[in-house]
Amino acid sequence: ALPPERTGEGQPSILSVGRFFAGQHNKQHLTLIRAFRRLVDAGLAGWELRLVGGLTPGAAHAAYLENVRAAAHGYPIRIETDLPFDQLVERYREAAIYWHAAGFGEDEERAPIKAEHFGITTVEAMAAGCVPVVIARGGQPELVTHGVDGFLWQTLDELHACTLRLVADAPLRSRLAAAARAASRRFDQPHFDAALVKTLAQAGIPVVKP
């Protein structure tokens, strides 16, 4: 289920949601931390980065999480693990911007598994009114239309520029947030059902409604 829409502008926070684990299609938490630290060092004030995700059992994954915590030390970065669903929904509703970086620095042709294949957390964030600023890899470009309901990026310079543009321009942030909410409805149950019926009809398969 998608989170409910926000009722206000949202807190000055940037959110990223993804399980903490090493290897495979790692969520690139360290990349996001380095990007946020660079923004803070350049003068960004009053904003917080929130990294939220589930824990993965195993020594390698525990060591990865410790590296993430160490990299965040001394900066306004909050790391939260295994939140109950209602608290996760609140994080979506409180955030103004959503970051996603899975696949950054990877060879998408040789290792497509390291990119996000769909990006359900991006859709959830959009449904809650977060403006997505997500990497233009994997399934993300199918979810976000650059400049219309969010921003796509390939380089960290582009991530920084898009984020600072949203930070500095509240009306733009509100406009893209509204567009993101509208775009997310493509993935709700009524739209899914209608698309399925259309696809089956095109294939000549009769649909019997209950």
Side-chain angles (χ1 to χ4, degrees):
L2 298 178
E5 297 177 4
R6 69 176 67 248
T7 56
E9 170 62 19
Q11 301 300 313
S13 64
I14 300 169
L15 175 69
S16 187
V17 176
R19 181 170 290 275
F20 294 96
F21 62 92
Q24 295 297 323
H25 58 295
N26 181 276
K27 302 303 182 181
Q28 296 290 334
H29 298 102
L30 294 173
T31 296
L32 296 179
I33 288 172
R34 286 192 292 267
F36 188 74
R37 287 173 55 147
R38 176 178 162 186
L39 291 174
V40 171
D41 291 345
L44 178 67
W47 282 73
E48 177 183 61
L49 174 64
R50 295 179 174 180
L51 302 178
V52 177
L55 293 174
T56 303
H61 305 305
Y64 171 75
L65 179 57
E66 286 307 307
N67 288 338
V68 170
R69 294 189 187 280
H73 181 72
Y75 285 80
I77 300 173
R78 183 189 305 183
I79 298 167
E80 298 180 302
T81 59
D82 290 337
L83 288 183
F85 179 72
D86 59 339
Q87 292 184 29
L88 175 60
V89 169
E90 284 303 309
R91 298 301 179 269
Y92 278 123
R93 297 184 68 194
E94 291 166 357
I97 297 171
Y98 186 77
W99 274 3
H100 201 298
F104 176 75
E106 304 290 350
D107 186 331
E108 195 173 3
E109 293 297 322
R110 296 182 63 183
I113 193 174
K114 293 188 176 181
E116 199 69 53
H117 306 311
F118 175 67
I120 187 60
T121 61
T122 299
V123 175
E124 291 172 344
M126 293 169 71
C130 298
V131 180
V133 181
V134 298
I135 191 167
R137 292 194 172 195
Q140 301 294 312
E142 298 179 29
L143 308 178
V144 177
T145 302
H146 185 76
V148 175
D149 50 30
F151 291 118
L152 296 166
W153 58 271
Q154 287 280 12
T155 69
L156 291 182
D157 284 345
E158 291 173 348
L159 170 61
H160 296 150
C162 292
T163 301
L164 289 176
R165 184 178 173 189
L166 290 169
V167 167
D169 191 339
L172 172 66
R173 209 161 64 234
S174 295
R175 187 163 65 251
L176 293 187
R181 284 195 297 268
S184 73
R185 297 189 183 108
R186 292 174 291 161
F187 305 100
D188 63 17
Q189 193 66 48
H191 285 81
F192 175 83
D193 292 345
L196 178 59
V197 169
K198 181 179 179 180
T199 299
L200 293 175
Q202 290 173 340
I205 301 174
V207 178
V208 178
K209 296 182 179 181

